[in-house]
Amino acid sequence: MTSLDAFATAKLDALAAQSLRRDLVHTARAAGTVVERGGRRYLSFSCNDYLNLSHHPAVLAAAREALDRYGIGSGASRLVTGNHPLYGALEERLARLKGAEAACVFGSGYLTNTGVIPALAGRGDLIVVDEWAHACIMAGSRMSGAAVHVFRHNDVAHADELLTTHRAAHRHALLLTDGVFSMDGDLAPLPALGRLARAHDAWLMADDAHGIGVLGGGRGSSYAFDEPADVPLQMGTLSKAIGAYGGYLCASRPVVELMKSRARTLVYSTGLPPPVVAAAIAALDLIAADPGLAEAPIAKARLFTRRVGLPDPQSPIVPVLVGEAEAALAASRMLAEEGYLVVAIRPPTVPAGTARLRLTFTPAHPDQDVERLADLVRERVVGNVS
Ligand code: PMP
């Protein structure tokens, strides 16, 4: 065995010993929430396609039309020849939905955070970030070279303390958080963070990957409060409620213009496939035409939490904390035997000792299945957690 293979094998063995080894399982999603895995069909509660738009006929028709007209690949970076005309329509719709002056579309949400953050902050600057922020916010922060300080989850007073201590010694400051936390489904206190950022001359950026389309009448988590939050940097993804792929930043025109010169993941990465962009446009049109659509996933989540006896959900994401990784895997296997796909989330995605089932809800989940799943979780998962 080469030293390289010996290294990889030892790492894999160590991960397996802690029930932390991961695997990629083929999962065919023929339509919405029904999936096929290993020759079996399941009703899936583990997909972020919150509005089932990835299979909506109008979305598919738009993608097919773009495929025939522009082909599958964009052929180059947007700065070279990959900036096909559909980008303009998509960015205009995103800016309108988010109430921003302009928008810039990236290759994915991950590429957005790892492009935008280093374009705005570098050595000599300060980043203050929520401890539960998504991995790609952390990656962008570390890549930027700025001084990074982490505040306790949703603890505005702690963020204030860090800014008070460190702000003066740095040129610019970014305050970073998820709008909706991906593994817990709770919301960041965006209005309070907006005020805090202003008070310290920091720039607030919220990752609304799980908020767009499903909160604030579809406009996202900045609009989910009694007062709209002051978030000058609104980023998110087109891969969840929008049902397609890609990421975006909505911001002022100068900030968006700066990205075209400075965000490395935009400059040096190929543009999105035209059918994907066309699909995102069609999905945004469906969301804008029916603000009531956004309420459906959270209503299903509420049906589930009330029946299990969990607190009301703040988003369509519901965590059921189990504890140890092996116990979460066992709970997931039990639900699979009953026909439900509910994936276990383990460290390092979540902190040690907080392995969980993470459930997501969509309008296509039949009420009777939501209720049956709730009964199984209440009787055989929650009841067993010490
Ligand atoms: N931010 C958050 C909060 C996410 O949950 C995700 C996806 N897991 C991303 C960013 C990355 O988005 P994408 O999948 O489009 O790369």
Side-chain angles (χ1 to χ4, degrees), residues 123-138:
R123 200 160 301 150
D125 297 324
L126 171 69
I127 288 177
V128 173
V129 56
D130 188 289
E131 64 179 328
W132 290 2
H134 191 262
C136 59
I137 297 184
M138 295 303 186

Side-chain angles (χ1 to χ4, degrees), residues 124-126 128 149 160-174 197 199-203:
D125 297 324
L126 171 69
V128 173
H149 293 273
D160 189 10
E161 213 176 289
L162 292 174
L163 283 162
T164 302
T165 307
H166 301 288
R167 176 70 187 92
H170 297 87
R171 196 177 31 185
H172 304 304
L174 271 177
H200 288 279
D201 186 24
W203 306 328

Side-chain angles (χ1 to χ4, degrees), residues 108-110 113 134 136 178 180 182 207 209-210 237 239-240 245-246:
S108 71
Y110 200 106
N113 277 328
H134 191 262
C136 59
D178 287 16
V180 180
S182 57
D207 178 335
H210 297 275
T237 179
S239 66
K240 304 189 194 292
Y245 199 71

Side-chain angles (χ1 to χ4, degrees), residues 68-143:
D68 290 341
R69 183 183 264 203
Y70 298 110
I72 185 65
S74 72
S77 159
R78 293 187 64 189
L79 271 86
V80 183
T81 54
N83 193 40
H84 47 81
L86 294 168
Y87 268 117
L90 176 57
E91 289 172 341
E92 185 263 319
R93 278 166 178 76
L94 282 167
R96 191 168 351 125
L97 183 71
K98 290 291 191 177
E101 228 171 66
C104 185
V105 169
F106 289 73
S108 71
Y110 200 106
L111 290 172
T112 308
N113 277 328
T114 51
V116 171
I117 297 169
L120 295 175
R123 200 160 301 150
D125 297 324
L126 171 69
I127 288 177
V128 173
V129 56
D130 188 289
E131 64 179 328
W132 290 2
H134 191 262
C136 59
I137 297 184
M138 295 303 186
S141 299
R142 305 282 173 206
M143 284 161 68

